[in-house]
Amino acid sequence: MKRWQRVLAYTFVVLLVVLAGGISATVGWRPVLGPRARPLTDRTFTPSPERLARGAYLLSAVTPCLACHSESVEPGAMWVPKPGTEGGGQPWPEPALSWVVTPNITPDRDTGIGGWSDDAIARAVREGIGHDGRALFPLMPYQKFRRMSDEDLASVVTYLRTLSPLRRERPRSAIPFPVNRLINAAPEPLDAPVPEPDRSTPEKRGAYLVNLAVCADCHTPVDANNQPIAGMDLAGGNTVELPGRPIVAAANLTPAPNGIPYYTEEIFAGALRTGHVGARELSEVMPWRFFRHMTDEDLASIFAYLETLPPVDHYVDNALAPTMCARCGHVHGGGERNKKPA
C-alpha cells in the first residue's frame, strides 16, 4: 500500500472513531439501531368485576387515556370524551404537535387494538413499543406509566377490551425527522413485576396518583431538550396552546409563596370539581372536567402529596402579559418577576 493510501485509510479510521465517540456521547446508537424492546409473551389478563371497575375508574378519572384518545365535547368542555367516540382516537389539538394522531384504542380488529394480544397492549402502555415494534412518541406517557402496578395494568387492559369497538381508521403520526429517530431512545423494557404502590399514607397514595395522572408533563417545566428542569418539580411554567383559546402556562403547584400555599384540601378539591378557585376560573386547558370524577379520598391524597413538595420560587400568573422567565426559560405570564437561580 502506498504512503498516501495508508494516510487516507488512517484518516478514515480516525474519522469513524471520532464519529462513533460523538454519537455515543450524545444521542447514542438507538436512533440507528431502533428501540429496546422485549419479546412479547403469551401473558393474558383475566377479567373480573374488581378489575373492570378499577379500569373504568382509572380511564375515566385518573389516567388521561380517554381524554386524549377520544374526541372532545365542544364548545367549553375540552378533554371530556364526546359520547360515542370513546377511545376512537383524534388528531392532536395542539398546533405545535399537529402531526400527532392519537390512535384508535377500541377493540375493533381492523382499525383498533382488537387484534393485539394482552401483552402487546401492556407493552405499549408501560414500555412505549407498538404492536409492530416501533417506538411510540412520548406524548403517550409510557415513561410515567412504567410505575403503574401490574394489577392496575391488568385493570386497564381488561377494561379497554370492553369499550365499544369503533371503526375509525386513524393515520399514523407523521413524526418529523430527526425526532422520529431520536425517540427510539425513550422506550425501556420492563422485565420485572411492578408491585402495588405503598398506600400506607395519603401522601404516598397521592404520589402514585400524580404519576398516573401525568401531572408533571404540564406542571414540571422542561429545558430546550424537553427534559424536566432539575429542582423544579411541579413548579409550573410550561405553556400550552390550543385552537381558539389563549396560550396558558401551567401553575406552580408547590407550597412556595408564589405557588399554592393558601390552598386547603377543600379549596383544592373545589378547584378540580368546579374549575374555580374562589372567583377565579381555571383555563379549559387544565383538564379539571376529567379529573373531577376522582373520589374524595384520591383528591385529598393528591393534595396531601403536593403539600410535601419542596417549595420552588417561581412566579406564574396567566392574568399578566407573557414575558421571558429567567428561572424556567419559558415565556409565560409574570415571567420577568423571576430570577435565574444562583
Side-chain angles (χ1 to χ4, degrees):
M1 181 182 290
K2 295 181 180 180
R3 184 173 183 276
W4 71 267
Q5 291 176 320
R6 290 198 301 272
V7 171
L8 185 61
Y10 293 152
T11 302
F12 181 70
V13 170
V14 169
L15 287 175
L16 283 180
V17 171
V18 171
L19 178 63
I23 292 174
S24 299
T26 54
V27 299
W29 288 98
R30 282 298 152 192
V32 178
L33 300 176
R36 290 180 290 268
R38 64 171 176 81
L40 290 173
T41 70
D42 58 0
R43 172 174 58 163
T44 58
F45 301 111
T46 303
S48 67
E50 293 77 18
R51 280 180 171 172
L52 292 175
R54 176 67 173 171
Y57 174 66
L58 289 174
L59 267 69
S60 63
V62 183
T63 68
C65 304
L66 292 185
C68 291
H69 286 269
S70 310
E71 297 174 23
S72 295
V73 175
E74 290 286 0
M78 195 70 194
W79 308 121
V80 177
K82 182 179 180 180
T85 74
E86 292 90 342
Q90 64 163 334
W92 192 247
E94 194 172 0
L97 297 173
S98 59
W99 38 266
V100 170
V101 179
T102 62
N104 182 347
I105 58 171
T106 73
D108 181 72
R109 295 192 66 84
D110 295 324
T111 65
I113 60 173
W116 296 26
S117 68
D118 282 2
D119 196 41
I121 300 173
R123 190 177 68 170
V125 170
R126 291 200 307 193
E127 300 166 55
I129 299 293
H131 71 294
D132 54 3
R134 64 190 168 90
L136 301 181
F137 185 64
L139 182 65
M140 160 63 184
Y142 52 85
Q143 292 166 309
K144 299 289 191 304
F145 291 163
R146 285 180 63 79
R147 287 173 273 172
M148 181 185 291
S149 72
D150 288 350
E151 184 55 35
D152 276 349
L153 177 69
S155 297
V156 166
V157 173
T158 55
Y159 180 71
L160 283 174
R161 298 287 196 198
T162 71
L163 294 177
S164 296
L166 300 177
R167 192 171 185 81
R168 299 283 192 278
E169 189 73 53
R170 300 294 185 187
R172 183 180 293 185
S173 295
I175 306 172
F177 181 84
V179 177
N180 62 339
R181 308 305 300 172
L182 295 174
I183 64 170
N184 284 337
E188 296 180 54
L190 264 176
D191 297 318
V194 180
E196 284 298 288
D198 184 350
R199 296 187 176 95
S200 59
T201 66
E203 293 81 6
K204 292 178 179 178
R205 179 189 182 92
Y208 180 68
L209 290 166
V210 163
N211 181 71
L212 288 189
V214 199
C215 303
D217 276 16
C218 286
H219 288 275
T220 296
V222 295
D223 60 21
N225 296 316
N226 206 41
Q227 296 302 306
I229 298 174
M232 296 198 70
D233 292 349
L234 298 174
N238 282 336
T239 56
V240 180
E241 178 182 2
L242 294 178
R245 293 172 172 83
I247 298 175
V248 296
N252 182 348
L253 299 182
T254 76
N258 43 30
I260 57 170
Y262 59 92
Y263 272 35
T264 63
E265 182 181 307
E266 291 72 23
I267 291 174
F268 178 77
L272 271 292
R273 296 272 192 238
T274 69
H276 285 82
V277 179
R280 180 166 61 87
E281 185 176 2
L282 298 184
S283 167
E284 286 290 329
V285 174
M286 164 62 188
W288 62 268
R289 281 191 170 90
F290 183 79
F291 294 137
R292 71 187 301 179
H293 300 294
M294 284 194 199
T295 64
D296 291 343
E297 181 183 19
D298 281 354
L299 287 177
S301 296
I302 289 174
F303 180 68
Y305 168 69
L306 294 178
E307 287 193 302
T308 70
L309 293 173
V312 179
D313 184 21
H314 188 215
Y315 192 89
V316 182
D317 187 347
N318 286 305
L320 299 177
T323 51
M324 176 56 71
C325 174
R327 184 75 170 88
C328 71
H330 294 267
V331 176
H332 61 72
E336 81 285 352
R337 299 193 179 191
N338 298 298
K339 296 180 180 179
K340 191 170 183 176

